Structures are given as structure tokens and as C-alpha cells.
Amino acid sequence: MTTESAPVSNFLRTIVQEDLKCGKHQTIVTRFPPEPNGYLHIGHAKSICLNFGLAREFGGRCHLRFDDTNPVKEETEYIESIKESVRWLGFSWGAHLYYASDYFEQLYLWAEHLIAQGKAYVDDLTADEIRAHRGTLTEPGTESPYRGRSVEENLDLFRRMRAGEFADGAKVLRARIDMASPNMNLRDPVLYRIIHAPHPHVGDAWCIYPMYDYAHGQSDAIEGITHSICTLEFEDHKPLYEWFLDNLPVPNRPRQYEFARLNLTYAIMSKRKLLQLVKDGDVTGWDDPRMPTIMGIRRRGYTPEAIRNFCETIGVGRSDSWIEMSILEDSVRQDLNERAPRAMAVLRPLKLVIENYPDGQAEEFSIANHPQKPELGSRAVPFCGELFIERDDFMEEPPKGFHRLVPGQEVRLRGACIVKCTGVEKDSEGNVVAVRCTYDPETRSGLPGAERKVKGVVHWVSARHAVRAEVRLYDRLFTEPNPAGDDWKLFLNQASVEVLSDCKLEPSLAQANSEDRFQFERQGYFCADLKESRPGAPVFNRTVTLRDSWIKK
Ligand code: ATP
Ligand code: MG
């Protein structure tokens, strides 16, 4: 069975523990609030594990809430993939699936409330003008000429905005706070904008849409969220988050806490950039096994346990840092080492002819499915006079220290017997097309001679029984640890996938179901592709190599 690390304490866990202990809250309510404008990535997994994990650990609940305030970028496909990703990671929102758009009416009424209090106004400045009026970190902003409109005029204009009287961008609703605030977020932030576009969840009901900052905290309050956990870049938004709670008749008072987002080397975490890779055809889709999306990582063969363990291992802190991709890779290696059955697959086949094996005969070797786990049983692997071995397990003129097959030398065929190379067959151009050998029947697995030691062990597949399959070898998507800047796409790894279409698998792999995972002996961990593999016609993706091949690079 797989082991998941015991929870390590972190500052959020401590806060929750204390809030429960002192009776500030009887139960905790967290939420995971994705915007449905793309697929979730491994950074979101950190947030999911944290929010759902805390709720689970402390007997509270975690809501899945779609922060769907911008209809232009949001799609139903994304909503579905997000739900699937959260479920696949092993979490459940139970009955608590929400949409910020379900609160549009309440949010609208609260906006009127702010107007009535003289705390919001309709502004006719354009987006560019508003930006120009905002000032800088060192200089205060300038008040809009429309800031002094009366409550009546503002209410009238805001209602007409909702009624659809104005074009996109013609007007916005802004909070009236302080154009000289040292916190730029408090310089009369925009609360509503006009967007004449249908919305994936509420259809044509609205043509004005609330901004994220206005919708978010109030949604938390409506749902009774106790701990609203977000990433550090929202720290500067917290005074605004609290300003809304102070100035609106909200039923609950949630509190915002910030933690450091996950940055992973050799990957990108921006949905905008991930979308660009999809649109430009650099990958086959959001769920391409090279993508750092949860659906991509899943197709690559990662297990939910490995990802949850990774998120627990990297911890939750308050300072931004980078996590090495090798840590993520190690988490899946560790998990699959424990649970993945072993099998033999020859990826780049070379024929091996056993001269002294009786023509037409075949036999079976019983091979354990896992070297340390007898409970995983064994399987019968057929063997005959013609096998496939890995092309690079043979060398005619080997360098020093090469312990695999070499003319005149012996190797052990894993789980079977010892063979000795007697020669090679070449084509007219001098390429080796087959290796010839003799086998020593006394060294067959199970016989006393099987103990005889030889330096090399290679894997093999019986030619007559082999199943032909496509295997895809994936590598990192980027060549640079931090593919930043405008030219980030220049760092795409041009060799991030290699498709091998004539691999030879041992017959037990023929019936693999999609998402079945194996260790291919000596090669790495592989997973039958979720979309394209079928029993009888398997397609495998390499999840990760057996060892970190990037260390020396
Ligand atoms: P973008 O990728 O476009 O910047 P986003 O990642 O902020 O967008 P959201 O859908 O708003 O997308 O994110 C949902 C939740 O996931 C938010 O609470 C956010 O704080 C959290 N989150 C996003 N990225 C990370 C990350 N790299 N590490 C940890 N949490 C993250
Ligand atoms: Mg966001």
C-alpha cells in the first residue's frame, strides 16, 4: 500500500487549530475558488490540497466555487475539467458547489447599497483614463470628474447600466474610497463593468459583471467561509477585502489568509501561457501529458496520492520560493515503486536468435510482479528461440565497463536464463539486424545453475508472443528552469516527446486498461494512455524514468 506522509504543521493549520480551540469558530469552512478560464495546474493542486485538506482534517467543509465573473474568458469545458480534476485528486465538495454568478443579484443589491451610502459612483472615464488617473506608488491619484455625482444620479445610471442602455466600456461603477491611499487597490477600485456577452452559467441575464475583488469576499461572506485562503499576491488586496465587509450588511465575516504560491522549475503556472501553448499547437491540448495541468499530469501517469504527497512535502509557507521539478518526479517514483507491477517491454527492438533452442518450441517462466511484494503475485512470461532485446543492450565493440551483450560474452536474460553471444547478422549496409547466441539450459530460473553469476542482466520479450505497441517517451516541456520573459516560448524543449511506434511488450500487457501503471524493467514507469489506449491495442506514456536523468545535465 502507498504511504502518505503525516501532516507536517504549517502556519495555517496552527491558525485553524487555535480558532477552534478558543471557540472563535465551531467548525471551519474553506473554499477553493477557481476561475473557469482554463484547466487547473499543479499550483492549483497545492491550493486544493490545502483547502480541502484542512477541512477534512478538522471536520469542516470545503466549497468548490467557480469565480465566474468574466464571461469573455470562461467556458463550460473548463468548469467540467475543474470538477474532474478536484475529484480525481481525491476531494469532494459534497453538496457545496457554488458559482459566484449565483450571487449576482445579491452583489448588485449591495452595490446599490454602497451607492446609497455615497460609497460608490458611476464613472464615465475610459479604462485608459482611469489608469492614467490612478497615480503611482509614489504619487497620489487624481479624482475623476464624475466622482461627485449625486446618489440619485448614480442609482439611475447604475440601473440603466444593468438595463443594457450603455455600450461596453462606456461606464463603470467604482467604490469611492481614497484616490490618495498608499494602497493602490483602495484608489476607487472598479466594482462593475459593462460586458454584453452571454455567460456560461447564467446566460443572458446580465450585461454588467462584478470585478473579482468585489465578488470574491462577498461570496465568501454569503457562504459563511471562515478561512479564505489565497496566494500572497492578494495581500495588498486585503484592505479592500475588509473595506467591503466593513461597509456592507454581510451575514458573516470571513478572514483572508495568504500563503506562497507554488512555483515549479521547468514548468509554467500561468493559465494565459498554458492557453497559448494549446492555441499555438505546441502541445496536443490542455491534457497533453507534458502539460503541468492536473489532467496532463494524470495522463502522464501520476497518481493522486503522489500529488497529494508532493503538496504535503513542499509545505505551506509565507515566502515565495521555487520547487525543483525533480521533487515532483521523485514523489511519483516513490509511489509507483511501491505499487506498480513490473513488466518487460522492449522499446527499440533488436532480434536475438538462440541457436540451440529447439525449433518451434516455447516455454513459460514465472516471474514475480514485484520484487519486494510477493502478495502482488507472479505471471507466466513466454519464452522461445527468438526474442527481442533492447538495441542498446548489445554492442559489437563495447567501451570499457559495458556489461550487457557483447560477442563472446554472457548475460542473464531477466527471470529466464544465461545466454552467450556467438555472432551477429548484418544487412548489406553493415547494420546489425540480429544477434545470435546460445543458451545454457542449466541456468534456467528455478534450477540450481540459476545461481551462476554473470555481470549483466537484460530484459527481453519473446518475438513470437510479443505485442506491438506505441510508447511515448516524455521529457520536460522546457529546457530552462525558469522560462520567463516575453520570449518564454524560446525555451520550449523541442525534444519533449519521442514516439516509438514499434515497441515489443510481453503479452501480459496486451490487455492493460487505460490508466494501468507499470514499471517497465530497467526503463521507468509507464501508464496506459487515458484517451488512446485500449485493451488489445495498448499505448503507453512514460511517466518518469527510474532515476533522475537531469542531475548531470
Ligand atoms: P492565473 O494562472 O491566470 O494567474 P490563477 O491561477 O490565479 O490564474 P484562479 O482560478 O484564480 O487562477 O486560482 C484559483 C485558486 O488557486 C486561487 O485561490 C489561487 O490563489 C490558487 N492558485 C493559483 N495558482 C497557484 C499556485 N501556483 N500555487 C498555489 N495556489 C495557486
Ligand atoms: Mg486568480
Side-chain angles (χ1 to χ4, degrees):
M1 285 304 93
T2 60
T3 47
E4 282 191 53
S5 10
V8 185
S9 213
N10 65 54
F11 78 100
L12 288 169
R13 214 171 242 137
T14 309
I15 288 170
V16 168
Q17 267 161 345
E18 281 168 7
D19 285 351
L20 288 171
K21 196 166 140 209
C22 76
K24 180 173 174 195
H25 299 294
Q26 302 311 309
T27 182
I28 64 156
V29 187
T30 57
R31 85 286 170 270
F32 173 65
E35 182 180 358
N37 61 350
Y39 280 51
L40 298 181
H41 52 60
I42 181 78
H44 295 116
K46 178 175 177 181
S47 177
I48 293 169
C49 290
L50 181 58
N51 280 294
F52 281 94
L54 283 171
R56 180 182 285 177
E57 188 180 337
F58 293 98
R61 62 175 202 262
C62 180
H63 298 180
L64 174 62
R65 182 201 312 144
F66 289 103
D67 239 316
D68 54 350
T69 50
N70 183 0
V72 181
K73 290 187 178 165
E74 295 161 7
E75 291 176 22
T76 309
E77 178 197 345
Y78 298 145
I79 293 180
E80 292 311 314
S81 77
I82 289 170
K83 288 191 206 163
E84 195 179 350
S85 298
V86 174
R87 260 191 240 113
W88 179 77
L89 274 176
F91 297 106
S92 164
W93 52 87
H96 300 282
L97 174 65
Y98 301 107
Y99 294 82
S101 55
D102 289 336
Y103 312 136
F104 279 178
E105 187 63 35
Q106 176 67 77
L107 293 170
Y108 174 85
L109 292 174
W110 279 339
E112 286 204 350
H113 178 91
L114 288 176
I115 293 173
Q117 306 286 312
K119 287 174 181 157
Y121 61 98
V122 173
D123 196 350
D124 295 4
L125 293 184
T126 63
D128 285 341
E129 288 166 334
I130 289 176
R131 210 168 300 123
H133 278 71
R134 264 187 103 206
T136 63
L137 284 175
T138 49
E139 285 166 42
T142 322
E143 294 185 356
S144 163
Y146 303 97
R147 200 175 196 262
R149 278 176 165 156
S150 69
V151 168
E152 291 67 32
E153 188 183 2
N154 280 319
L155 272 179
D156 174 59
L157 288 171
F158 188 50
R159 287 173 184 162
R160 286 162 59 196
M161 278 169 68
R162 175 179 185 170
E165 273 190 41
F166 307 111
D168 288 9
K171 293 185 176 0
V172 291
L173 183 74
R174 298 177 72 176
R176 186 191 274 113
I177 307 181
D178 179 5
M179 286 307 291
S181 170
N183 185 329
M184 304 282 280
N185 293 301
L186 295 179
R187 293 186 187 171
D188 291 10
V190 172
L191 307 185
Y192 272 89
R193 62 238 199 270
I194 303 171
I195 305 175
H196 288 271
H199 183 282
H201 188 61
V202 292
D204 295 322
W206 295 85
C207 64
I208 55 171
Y209 290 94
M211 297 298 287
Y212 171 87
D213 273 334
Y214 177 64
H216 194 79
Q218 278 60 265
S219 302
D220 285 344
I222 292 170
E223 291 176 18
I225 301 298
T226 54
H227 299 79
S228 176
I229 300 168
C230 61
T231 39
L232 281 176
E233 66 273 22
F234 289 99
E235 198 167 13
D236 287 347
H237 298 238
K238 190 170 181 170
L240 179 58
Y241 184 97
E242 302 204 320
W243 186 88
F244 290 127
L245 298 177
D246 289 339
N247 287 283
L248 289 171
V250 290
N252 289 289
R253 191 149 180 125
R255 193 170 157 165
Q256 174 180 310
Y257 299 91
E258 308 87 21
F259 72 100
R261 65 194 295 114
L262 168 65
N263 296 305
L264 190 63
T265 59
Y266 300 99
I268 45 172
M269 296 287 146
S270 143
K271 282 189 270 186
R272 183 179 58 79
K273 288 182 179 174
L274 293 172
L275 176 62
Q276 196 176 332
L277 292 178
V278 173
K279 282 197 170 151
D280 295 353
D282 297 305
V283 292
T284 57
W286 282 97
D287 61 354
D288 185 299
R290 293 166 292 177
M291 289 282 268
T293 54
I294 297 176
M295 286 296 121
I297 292 174
R298 171 185 181 180
R299 264 187 89 184
R300 180 80 166 251
Y302 276 70
T303 57
E305 290 82 356
I307 296 176
R308 294 202 300 266
N309 239 332
F310 167 75
C311 291
E312 190 61 47
T313 311
I314 58 176
V316 179
R318 285 211 23 107
S319 52
D320 275 315
S321 64
W322 283 78
I323 301 293
E324 293 289 334
M325 176 66 96
S326 56
I327 297 182
L328 179 64
E329 292 171 342
D330 270 340
S331 73
V332 75
R333 258 187 214 111
Q334 255 179 36
D335 188 32
L336 293 180
N337 180 40
E338 293 282 316
R339 66 205 279 181
R342 275 46 173 173
M344 292 197 286
V346 172
L347 303 185
R348 297 176 180 87
L350 174 63
K351 191 163 274 183
L352 182 73
V353 180
I354 308 176
E355 293 169 339
N356 59 340
Y357 198 84
D359 267 355
Q361 198 170 306
E363 66 191 292
E364 285 181 337
F365 287 100
S366 170
I367 301 184
N369 289 330
H370 195 292
Q372 286 92 39
K373 296 189 180 247
E375 68 274 19
L376 290 185
S378 60
R379 65 201 188 281
V381 184
F383 180 94
C384 70
E386 277 196 8
L387 309 175
F388 289 113
I389 60 167
E390 212 64 61
R391 194 158 270 281
D392 62 9
D393 277 339
F394 171 79
M395 283 188 99
E396 223 179 345
E397 286 159 26
K400 210 165 168 283
F402 183 84
H403 295 309
R404 291 164 279 166
L405 205 56
V406 168
Q409 300 292 317
E410 286 185 325
V411 290
R412 176 175 296 281
L413 298 175
R414 173 87 106 209
C417 58
I418 292 176
V419 293
K420 179 174 189 170
C421 177
T422 54
V424 294
E425 293 173 18
K426 293 186 177 177
D427 64 12
S428 54
E429 275 142 38
N431 301 309
V432 175
V433 292
V435 177
R436 302 187 71 81
C437 67
T438 53
Y439 87 121
D440 178 353
E442 299 305 312
T443 61
R444 274 191 295 213
S445 150
L447 298 181
E451 300 299 314
R452 184 150 75 77
K453 292 273 177 285
V454 285
K455 279 228 170 101
V457 181
V458 302
H459 61 275
W460 53 274
V461 168
S462 162
R464 204 191 309 158
H465 306 91
V467 176
R468 188 174 157 188
E470 179 175 306
V471 175
R472 299 147 181 181
L473 304 183
Y474 291 106
D475 209 332
R476 293 176 180 181
L477 191 51
F478 291 96
T479 53
E480 281 294 311
N482 179 8
D486 290 343
D487 289 338
W488 61 277
K489 276 189 46 171
L490 293 179
F491 304 119
L492 272 173
N493 178 5
Q494 296 306 324
S496 56
V497 58
E498 184 181 359
V499 179
L500 302 172
S501 54
D502 187 27
C503 302
K504 309 293 186 184
L505 314 185
E506 63 166 77
S508 72
L509 292 168
Q511 295 306 317
N513 290 306
S514 68
E515 301 210 277
D516 280 355
R517 303 176 179 92
F518 299 90
Q519 183 193 101
F520 289 175
E521 301 254 12
R522 305 175 61 229
Q523 308 274 14
Y525 295 97
F526 291 76
C527 175
D529 189 70
L530 176 65
K531 279 186 160 170
E532 286 153 40
S533 188
R534 284 184 314 285
V539 175
F540 279 96
N541 298 330
R542 182 172 69 195
T543 309
V544 70
T545 52
L546 288 180
R547 275 169 289 279
D548 187 353
S549 55
W550 279 68
I551 286 172
K552 5 180 216 324
K553 291 189 187 177

